[in-house]
DNA sequence: AGCAGATACTTCAAGCATAAAATTTACAGG
DNA sequence: CCTGTAAATTTTATGCTTGAAGTATCTGCT
């Protein structure tokens, strides 16, 4: 920290590197939105469902004993109120059921119904195929490299103060 | 197409590669949402605005002569009705103005107001700093590699039938 | 026991997003 | 001129998303 180190200035100036990073971010966003859009399309057109519903079902699929509302919220990193609405709809569709929790009347356990489990298992397999199709140009090596870089970025962002 | 080529089967089976691609997609989505979340946070907390508004202003900033509603919709790849709402709010905030188009009374030209232009210029510089900060762990070489891969993926997705 | 604070969830208001229907204007052909 | 079709935008219905406020329940402390 000698020679008057500019703590803030470093992030504020526009260098070639910062422009490259901005460009990278824009590409990342573009691909992410494109893939997400295609997936949403297929979920809607072929299965009358949505990505948020799929995400909730996926979380529940991995937890056969069920998850609390708060557990879903934490797993998916979305707000509590959001989960309420999505689970409401899934419950009406019969894919999920709310179960009173034994020792705590505040909490609700959410579980896949048998029908929900069957439907999701089939859908998940199809989903993997869609992704495989969309990312078809990426070989195993490139995938591994990308994953490593992305995990490094994620770790750095997580670390940098939450909320 | 000889020897009974299985056109569909290739995408449907779950191989190690397809699992790697699924994993890649999940990481991509995670990073994208994390970065996007941070940017939204800073826009909201520091500037009382949102990413969609920012995106519209950015598109208009690049087009000093203005853009039609449909032009914005196409540039940002969002629906027409969506643009209507966002421009409504930006107009109320005085950052943007709707101008009747000379030869065609169906169309409306949207332009940044002088105030909108000034505010956006400052905000865009700050935005670049935020991204630089969030992607700080990525050097020039890694960025170039990632960008190349992402562009290949994007090209492949675009090509695969629109709408 | 009683109460203060924390926890789990729902409700609410606002904004973003889409697809589909409706509205207005333009234009081409008879 | 008149009619049908296309184009640009807005409106409508529905759903996702957040942050903030509200309700019920639980827990720890005195």
């Amino acid at each position: 920290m000698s020679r008057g180190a500019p703590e803030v200035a470093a992030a504020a100036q526009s260098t070639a590197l910062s422009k490259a990073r901005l460009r990278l971010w824009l590409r990342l966003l573009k691909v992410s939105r494109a893939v997400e859009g295609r997936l949403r399309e297929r979920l809607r057109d072929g299965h009358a469902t949505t990505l948020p519903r799929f995400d909730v079902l996926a979380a529940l699929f991995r937890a056969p004993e069920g998850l609390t509302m708060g557990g879903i919220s934490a797993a998916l990193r979305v707000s509590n109120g959001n989960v309420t609405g999505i689970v409401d709809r899934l419950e009406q569709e019969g894919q999920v059921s709310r179960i009173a929790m034994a020792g705590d009347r505040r909490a609700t356990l959410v579980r896949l119904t048998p029908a929900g489990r069957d439907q999701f298992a089939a859908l998940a397999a199809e989903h993997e195929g869609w992704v495989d199709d969309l990312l078809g140009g990426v070989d195993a090596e490139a995938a591994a490299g990308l994953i490593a870089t992305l995990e490094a970025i994620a770790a750095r962002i997580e670390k940098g103060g939450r909320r």
Side-chain angles (χ1 to χ4, degrees), chain A:
Chain A
M1 283 292 186
S2 58
R3 299 203 311 179
E7 299 101 73
V8 174
Q13 54 192 332
S14 175
T15 65
L17 180 53
S18 84
K19 288 204 180 305
R21 287 176 179 150
L22 180 56
R23 193 175 159 78
L24 169 58
W25 163 237
L26 294 176
R27 292 300 171 282
L28 198 59
L29 187 57
K30 181 178 173 183
V31 168
S32 179
R33 285 187 177 169
V35 172
E36 204 173 318
R38 294 305 176 110
L39 294 178
R40 282 180 197 277
E41 216 173 272
R42 304 211 202 189
L43 285 172
R44 166 164 296 279
D45 296 347
H47 300 275
T49 189
T50 66
L51 205 46
R53 280 162 162 91
F54 182 87
D55 289 343
V56 168
L57 294 177
L60 292 173
F61 192 79
R62 281 182 239 111
E65 71 290 351
L67 285 175
T68 64
M69 297 296 283
I72 298 173
S73 171
L76 271 48
R77 294 160 179 269
V78 298
S79 67
N80 281 345
N82 191 1
V83 174
T84 296
I86 297 170
V87 168
D88 282 353
R89 287 168 215 119
L90 287 174
E91 197 178 17
Q92 285 199 325
E93 292 170 7
Q95 305 204 267
V96 137
S97 59
R98 278 183 167 99
I99 300 164
M101 229 170 85
D104 190 338
R105 280 178 300 179
R106 292 170 307 180
T108 316
L109 211 56
V110 183
R111 262 206 280 259
L112 287 176
T113 62
R117 174 161 289 273
D118 290 350
Q119 287 173 40
F120 179 78
L123 188 50
E126 229 184 309
H127 174 264
E128 186 181 325
W130 297 339
V131 172
D132 190 49
D133 187 28
L134 289 166
L135 302 190
V138 183
D139 61 32
E141 195 183 356
L146 256 168
I147 287 174
T149 309
L150 290 172
E151 281 181 347
I153 297 174
R156 192 175 200 287
I157 293 175
E158 295 302 315
K159 211 176 51 180
R162 60 180 64 261
R163 262 211 64 78

